[in-house]
Amino acid sequence: MASSLLNKLQTNITIGLVSWYCYVPGITYNGSYASDYPEVYNPKYINLNGQSGFYYVIDAAARAAVSIINSRADILPQTTVNVKRFSDCGPYWSTVEHDFSGHTGGYAMAVMGKDIGEKHKDVIGMVGHQYSSVAQGTAEVLEKYQIPLCSENSAAPRLIWKINRMVIISQSDDLMSKGFTSDILGTAGRSGIRMYPPIQLKGELTQDMVDYAKTSMLRNSVRYVYISGQDAFVAKVYFSLALLGMVGPSYVYMGLNPPKPITSSTALLSPQRFLHITPLNEQNVHSEWVQPLYDEILKASKFDKDTLMTMGFSSPASMLQSWAISNVFDCTMLMLLGMDKLLKDNPTFTAQQLASRDLSKYLNYSQFLNISYRGLTADPLLLNPDGDLLVPYNMLSLTGGLDLSISANPFLSKQFAVTNLAGTKVSFIAKPFFYGGSSDPPPDGPPEVIITFVQNDLFSSRGQGILIMAIIGILLSSFLFAIFLKFKETKQLKLASVPECLVAITGTMMCYCSLLSYLDNVTEFKCIARMWVQLVGYLLTILPIVVKNARLYVVLNSKKRLDGAQLTLVNRIVLCIGLIIQGALLAYWTVSTKNTPILLTSDANSFLVCATRSKPGSASIELLVGYGGVVHLCLALFAYLLRDADSHLNESPALTAIFALVAMLVGLYQILPSNPGPRLDMFQALCIWMATTLTLFFMFAQKVSSVVFEEFIEKTFSFSKSFEGTRSSEKKKNLSNKSLNALNTKEGSNIRSNSDVRDSVERIHATPAIANTTATTLDPAALTRKGSKRETLGMQRSPSASNQNLAVKKTTDIGIPKGRNLGRPCLCETMSGIQIFKMKSHPTQAFWSVWDGGVCYINHARKTAWVSLATLGSVHTLTLTATMKADKVPGLNQISISDFPMYQYRFILEFKDEASATAFINAFSNHKTRFLSLPSNE
């Protein structure tokens, strides 16, 4: 045995111990490397009741594992293990007990990792006491140098009960509690559990702290509470909340440490169904390593008898129960046993190669899996593929009973569930026990409303609606702008003052463009730009109208001759001054207000809206509102002053309508934010769009429509009239003399008795087929005269020759062939009266020609049959063909007459009821069949 141990001196390897040595005074540092560490217990430096004492014992447990390995010839033969210490929180400072939180990722990665990797190249493995958030960063740095790290404090406790919402009450002045809190938050977040902000309380609990904890729990409506702290802290928090009514069937409390008795009167304060989550097989006192660990710690520390008895070192079992050293001991043993396994599984590998880091590339986590190590924390100790310790957990429920013979914690508990090794599945060995004995877990809070953030993007109906409004408005403004530029020399537009109108239209275009600022995300820049564009656009729209009417008022009331050019110049200077004032007010508003968007919530949606808040002493909002109101009131003022102006100059009705409607829409715009919702921006954009569009309509619709009609429609009709007239003249030259003689001899008597009909027919031939030329001959007053339209026309009686004498002003022929005299006799069948008559004389005609009332006939003379429709002062004809049909328009009391399938001409007849429409169809069909079958009269 002695020779075997001497062989271990042939090669030295070094492992590093990483811990919070900043708690221990009297250590010399070179970078992060700690030398002159007091391995023998010295009360001058080590306080076993404080953090320095805790980390001294942690270090002693790691040193004990190294000593045990060095004493075993069968583990790492021919190799001696040495230890180097590294602080991941720097050197000691006097207030470390209060300042340090346990999270040192920056220092660990920036200083310690580089020291180990580059300056201490004899270190081939690391054992650390770090939380997972720090250990992860340290491991990433050490991985660069292929140095394995085992951190005994890395695995955060897992929750085995599936919940969605929870809060942690943490002991803020306890380092271990803060570390567990941080790790639990990370674990819960990855598991999809919504964690509310931790409630941080100090170990010296006060009533104010308890009240704060209660208020926080009630405000967030949390029902599941994890208490992270020492057992005394857990007891104080639990029992204090119980006295405030916060313990009951609606709440579930849990923690790694159960509460311990804090008063002799246990009848008053006894835990009711507190859930104790604890690792299974924790501190396995039957392990073969317990006694060697105990012996090595006592040998190195040289505790005196009083310390042994008072600080929990009286026996191995007492030591493991009093000090959380099992993890660090197992971590060190696992590291060294994994290296031993590497050398034994690969006979060609040597201890010298291991010591020089030549074998470090093989020391990944797979090397430490399943090495059959029977540890203190688990037997056997296993790791998952992520390198975390596989430890099943027990779920215990405190029954409220008490057994004072149990020294550790006399509160009785009952196990009801256990997890698998990975902690991913729960097996119930009994029904769960909650407060009051119920086996059903309470809900983790009221039903949770999932808040969805919405904005007016192009994928939403709101955004699409706003975009469509903006595009329509911009196109409308552009069209009007182009019309005024194109026809600025026309009489109608000259009277409207073209420059002022162009400025006003430009203002409306700005208002339409401002709608685009409601799209996508809301930003401070968009809020400011929206206000500028809207108010400047509004002023550019209204102020030119006001200035123009002010000039008209001056002209009409002046008693002397005025210089028109000078008056126009003054008005435009006033317009410019008004714009300058508006710009100055907006600049003042921009610098004297805060326009940061605010997040609002309505139902299950959250959204950003623009919010303007005045800085102290600012009156910018009031000035803007006042200035805009004065300009708007000028509309009403000039509407009143110019109420008696000539009709072609009088804009009072338009000014009155704009004043009232825009004021109403602006008021609605201001009221909408009082009840905000996701559609707030869309409704406000709709108000702006309607106000702008109504202004355009009342100011420019009549002027532009008259110009468009005169310049486009009438020119189009004139061209068609000229073309048809030329064609008709050519056909009339080809009239047969034989037909004219027949009309003068053989049928002379008929000519005399039907002279009016002949005249009418001749007028039909002579009139070109022009659509809606009769529109200019209508007498609107006649359509409203008292009495029936049919009586006025004389069409209700039987179709004799006398009642066919119609006083026709114009006759439109859109289908009767030209070039022949139809002669007599002329057969006629009348059909139902019509309320409204519409006509299109050509497929390319854009608009319907419409008349009010009329009578429809089917006529026949010689070989020709035709449909006649007589309206007030007009007769319209359509050649009757075999393909002509009279069809019912679905859903309306209307009949469509067209020469289907040619579809060149079309009548629309509207009747008072469906019966009349149906009767017309039947009559038309019967008369059409009969008339088309009549023999020729030639």
Side-chain angles (χ1 to χ4, degrees):
M1 174 64 71
S3 61
S4 298
L5 291 178
L6 288 176
N7 290 334
K8 292 179 72 68
L9 299 177
Q10 296 179 15
T11 305
N12 292 298
I13 63 173
T14 304
I15 64 170
L17 302 181
V18 179
S19 190
W20 294 321
Y21 292 112
C22 57
Y23 281 107
V24 182
I27 300 177
T28 302
Y29 288 94
N30 182 8
S32 62
Y33 173 57
S35 59
D36 299 331
Y37 180 80
E39 293 188 357
V40 178
Y41 171 66
N42 185 348
K44 179 180 178 181
Y45 300 112
I46 308 299
N47 177 14
L48 291 177
N49 289 313
Q51 298 291 353
S52 60
F54 175 76
Y55 292 107
Y56 173 81
V57 177
I58 290 291
D59 181 89
R63 283 187 285 117
V66 171
S67 298
I68 292 173
I69 295 298
N70 285 335
S71 66
R72 295 281 296 266
D74 58 328
I75 302 175
L76 288 175
Q78 304 177 358
T79 305
T80 298
V81 181
N82 299 319
V83 171
K84 283 187 175 182
R85 296 174 177 85
F86 298 89
S87 173
D88 64 350
C89 59
Y92 171 82
W93 70 94
S94 59
T95 59
V96 63
E97 294 274 355
H98 303 284
D99 299 342
F100 185 49
S101 63
H103 295 275
T104 60
Y107 183 88
M109 289 185 285
V111 179
M112 185 191 69
K114 188 175 182 179
D115 280 353
I116 296 171
E118 298 181 3
K119 295 181 180 180
H120 301 272
K121 295 185 177 181
D122 56 333
V123 176
I124 62 172
M126 300 293 297
V127 176
H129 179 85
Q130 294 176 310
Y131 296 129
S132 60
S133 55
V134 179
Q136 182 179 3
T138 305
E140 291 176 356
V141 175
L142 295 177
E143 184 180 5
K144 175 182 177 182
Y145 306 102
Q146 297 181 327
I147 300 174
L149 168 68
C150 177
S151 184
E152 57 91 9
N153 203 30
S154 290
R158 298 170 182 262
L159 300 177
I160 66 171
W161 194 262
K162 183 172 177 60
I163 56 177
N164 295 320
R165 287 174 283 183
M166 188 176 70
V167 70
I168 299 177
I169 299 178
S170 175
Q171 185 177 351
S172 61
D173 54 357
D174 179 73
L175 192 61
M176 189 68 69
S177 301
K178 288 192 291 185
F180 274 121
T181 297
S182 178
D183 286 350
I184 290 173
L185 289 173
T187 302
R190 291 188 295 271
S191 303
I193 300 175
R194 179 181 176 185
M195 300 297 295
Y196 291 96
I199 301 173
Q200 303 283 356
L201 306 178
K202 291 186 177 181
E204 294 296 328
L205 206 63
T206 64
Q207 186 60 46
D208 290 340
M209 296 180 191
V210 178
D211 292 338
Y212 165 72
K214 175 184 177 180
T215 302
S216 299
M217 291 172 60
L218 292 176
R219 181 175 60 249
N220 296 317
S221 298
V222 291
R223 311 292 172 81
Y224 283 75
V225 183
Y226 191 99
I227 305 179
S228 176
Q230 302 298 331
D231 49 7
F233 173 80
V234 174
K236 291 177 183 178
V237 171
Y238 180 84
F239 294 130
S240 297
L241 290 173
L243 293 176
L244 296 179
M246 298 300 292
V247 173
S250 299
Y251 297 94
V252 175
Y253 290 85
M254 64 187 80
L256 280 176
N257 292 323
K260 70 176 184 179
I262 58 175
T263 177
S264 58
S265 178
T266 58
L268 177 62
L269 296 177
S270 59
Q272 295 283 328
R273 301 302 181 186
F274 183 96
L275 301 185
H276 180 204
I277 305 172
T278 178
L280 192 63
N281 293 333
E282 184 185 30
Q283 298 175 350
N284 187 350
V285 295
H286 303 291
S287 172
E288 61 177 301
W289 307 110
V290 174
Q291 189 63 45
L293 170 62
Y294 180 72
D295 294 341
E296 289 295 334
I297 288 179
L298 295 187
K299 177 181 176 182
S301 60
K302 296 181 172 54
F303 289 132
D304 56 40
K305 184 179 293 185
D306 290 340
T307 303
L308 292 175
M309 299 304 298
T310 58
M311 300 307 298
F313 292 98
S314 59
S315 67
S318 176
M319 179 188 66
L320 294 179
Q321 187 175 14
S322 302
W323 297 89
I325 58 176
S326 300
N327 287 348
V328 70
F329 178 83
D330 283 345
C331 211
T332 308
M333 292 294 291
L334 190 68
M335 176 72 69
L336 297 174
L337 290 174
M339 294 177 180
D340 178 66
K341 184 174 181 294
L342 176 65
L343 294 177
K344 290 177 179 178
D345 291 345
N346 300 276
T348 59
F349 292 169
T350 65
Q352 289 79 9
Q353 290 176 306
L354 181 65
S356 61
R357 293 187 183 176
D358 291 340
L359 303 180
S360 294
K361 60 184 177 181
Y362 301 104
L363 294 177
N364 53 43
Y365 78 91
S366 61
Q367 181 60 38
F368 304 97
L369 297 174
N370 305 322
I371 60 176
S372 301
Y373 168 62
R374 301 183 64 190
L376 301 183
T377 54
D379 185 10
L381 190 146
L382 301 174
L383 301 178
N384 65 14
D386 296 326
D388 292 333
L389 181 65
L390 288 174
V391 179
Y393 281 83
N394 275 341
M395 178 71 83
L396 306 169
S397 177
L398 272 62
T399 64
L402 188 69
D403 186 353
L404 295 177
S405 63
I406 303 176
S407 58
N409 194 325
F411 290 124
L412 300 180
S413 62
K414 188 174 183 180
Q415 182 184 12
F416 64 86
V418 64
T419 71
N420 60 356
L421 280 176
T424 57
K425 294 183 180 179
V426 179
S427 299
F428 290 93
I429 59 179
K431 289 184 177 181
F433 307 105
F434 297 98
Y435 191 95
S438 173
S439 60
D440 296 325
D444 57 3
E448 186 173 13
V449 178
I450 299 177
I451 304 298
T452 303
F453 179 76
V454 296
Q455 60 184 14
N456 301 318
D457 53 37
L458 297 183
F459 297 101
S460 66
S461 59
R462 302 177 304 278
Q464 293 167 359
I466 293 173
L467 181 62
I468 290 172
M469 287 191 291
I471 292 175
I472 292 175
I474 292 172
L475 291 177
L476 177 60
S477 298
S478 301
F479 170 74
L480 294 177
F481 197 92
I483 291 294
F484 270 85
L485 283 180
K486 177 71 175 177
F487 303 106
K488 59 185 178 181
E489 300 300 330
T490 60
K491 179 180 178 181
Q492 297 95 322
L493 298 189
K494 275 188 174 181
L495 289 175
S497 186
V498 173
E500 280 76 8
C501 291
L502 290 176
V503 173
I505 294 172
T506 302
T508 62
M509 190 177 298
M510 291 183 65
C511 291
Y512 287 130
C513 290
S514 72
L515 302 185
L516 299 176
S517 67
Y518 289 96
L519 295 176
D520 294 327
N521 197 20
V522 181
T523 63
E524 183 175 359
F525 174 77
K526 280 188 177 181
C527 293
I528 295 174
R530 180 189 303 172
M531 182 67 74
W532 273 81
V533 177
Q534 286 178 357
L535 291 185
V536 172
Y538 164 79
L539 196 72
L540 281 176
T541 303
I542 299 299
L543 197 55
I545 298 173
V546 171
V547 169
K548 180 182 67 171
N549 282 272
R551 181 178 59 186
L552 177 61
Y553 176 77
V554 172
V555 171
L556 294 178
N557 290 272
S558 177
K559 296 181 180 180
K560 60 180 180 178
R561 184 179 180 86
L562 299 175
D563 186 341
Q566 185 177 4
L567 182 60
T568 300
L569 178 62
V570 170
N571 284 341
R572 291 173 184 174
I573 291 175
V574 171
L575 177 60
C576 293
I577 293 174
L579 289 174
I580 292 172
I581 293 173
Q582 181 76 306
L585 291 176
L586 282 170
Y588 173 47
W589 169 84
T590 303
V591 300
S592 63
T593 58
K594 294 181 179 179
N595 295 277
T596 306
I598 60 174
L599 184 67
L600 299 180
T601 301
S602 176
D603 297 330
N605 298 310
S606 63
F607 50 92
L608 289 169
V609 297
C610 292
T612 299
R613 296 170 295 279
S614 296
K615 296 179 181 178
S618 171
S620 58
I621 297 177
E622 292 79 3
L623 290 174
L624 276 174
V625 172
Y627 181 66
V630 169
V631 173
H632 196 73
L633 283 173
C634 290
L635 293 173
L637 174 64
F638 287 107
Y640 175 77
L641 295 176
L642 295 172
R643 64 189 184 279
D644 297 326
D646 292 341
S647 59
H648 66 285
L649 299 174
N650 194 339
E651 292 182 342
S652 291
L655 296 180
T656 303
I658 294 173
F659 172 79
L661 292 174
V662 172
M664 180 183 67
L665 289 169
V666 171
L668 180 61
Y669 179 94
Q670 297 296 331
I671 293 173
L672 283 172
S674 62
N675 186 23
R679 297 181 180 272
L680 171 62
D681 283 351
M682 189 188 72
F683 289 146
Q684 288 189 321
L686 180 60
C687 289
I688 294 172
W689 187 87
M690 290 181 64
T692 307
T693 305
L694 289 173
T695 301
L696 284 176
F697 176 78
F698 287 115
M699 288 305 305
F700 306 118
Q702 183 178 2
K703 300 177 181 65
V704 171
S705 62
S706 62
V707 172
V708 170
F709 179 82
E710 181 177 312
E711 298 294 330
F712 290 100
I713 304 297
E714 290 191 356
K715 286 183 179 180
T716 302
F717 288 164
S718 297
F719 173 79
S720 176
K721 180 177 180 180
S722 175
F723 176 77
E724 292 292 340
T726 301
R727 187 177 64 176
S728 177
S729 298
E730 292 176 353
K731 290 185 177 180
K732 284 192 291 182
K733 292 179 181 179
N734 298 324
L735 287 175
S736 171
N737 291 329
K738 182 179 178 180
S739 298
L740 292 175
N741 292 333
L743 287 172
N744 292 323
T745 57
K746 183 180 177 180
E747 298 175 352
S749 59
N750 287 335
I751 291 175
R752 286 190 298 270
S753 61
N754 294 286
S755 60
D756 292 328
V757 175
R758 183 191 65 190
D759 294 341
S760 176
V761 172
E762 288 177 352
R763 280 194 297 272
I764 290 174
H765 282 216
T767 305
I770 305 301
N772 90 339
T773 56
T774 59
T776 60
T777 67
L778 292 179
D779 181 6
L783 301 181
T784 59
R785 288 195 190 108
K786 188 174 181 180
S788 170
K789 301 182 185 71
R790 292 172 185 157
E791 294 176 0
T792 304
L793 292 170
M795 296 180 179
Q796 191 64 22
R797 297 183 294 276
S798 60
S800 63
S802 61
N803 66 26
Q804 293 183 26
N805 275 329
L806 302 178
V808 179
K809 296 181 181 178
K810 285 191 179 181
T811 304
T812 302
D813 169 19
I814 59 174
I816 297 178
K818 313 296 186 300
R820 71 167 58 240
N821 194 321
L822 299 179
R824 290 173 295 277
C826 183
L827 302 180
C828 181
E829 289 288 350
T830 183
M831 290 174 289
S832 302
I834 303 160
Q835 288 189 333
I836 296 176
F837 164 53
K838 301 179 181 180
M839 179 186 73
K840 278 190 178 182
S841 62
H842 196 272
T844 59
Q845 182 177 336
F847 303 100
W848 288 95
S849 302
V850 182
W851 290 267
D852 188 4
V855 177
C856 188
Y857 296 86
I858 293 184
N859 306 277
H860 182 272
R862 290 185 172 273
K863 291 183 178 181
T864 303
W866 69 93
V867 179
S868 296
L869 199 142
T871 61
L872 184 61
S874 304
V875 175
H876 315 276
T877 63
L878 186 64
T879 302
L880 187 66
T881 64
T883 58
M884 183 175 289
K885 294 181 63 177
D887 295 320
K888 178 79 164 53
V889 178
L892 300 172
N893 297 327
Q894 293 182 351
I895 301 299
S896 172
I897 300 177
S898 62
D899 56 337
F900 181 85
M902 296 297 292
Y903 208 79
Q904 290 182 348
Y905 315 109
R906 190 178 182 191
F907 286 171
I908 293 289
L909 314 179
E910 183 172 315
F911 298 86
K912 62 181 179 180
D913 52 36
E914 186 176 3
S916 300
T918 303
F920 181 90
I921 293 176
N922 295 331
F924 181 87
S925 179
N926 294 333
H927 296 331
K928 168 190 165 183
T929 303
R930 182 168 66 88
F931 276 44
L932 289 178
S933 63
L934 288 176
S936 171
N937 292 329
E938 289 185 330

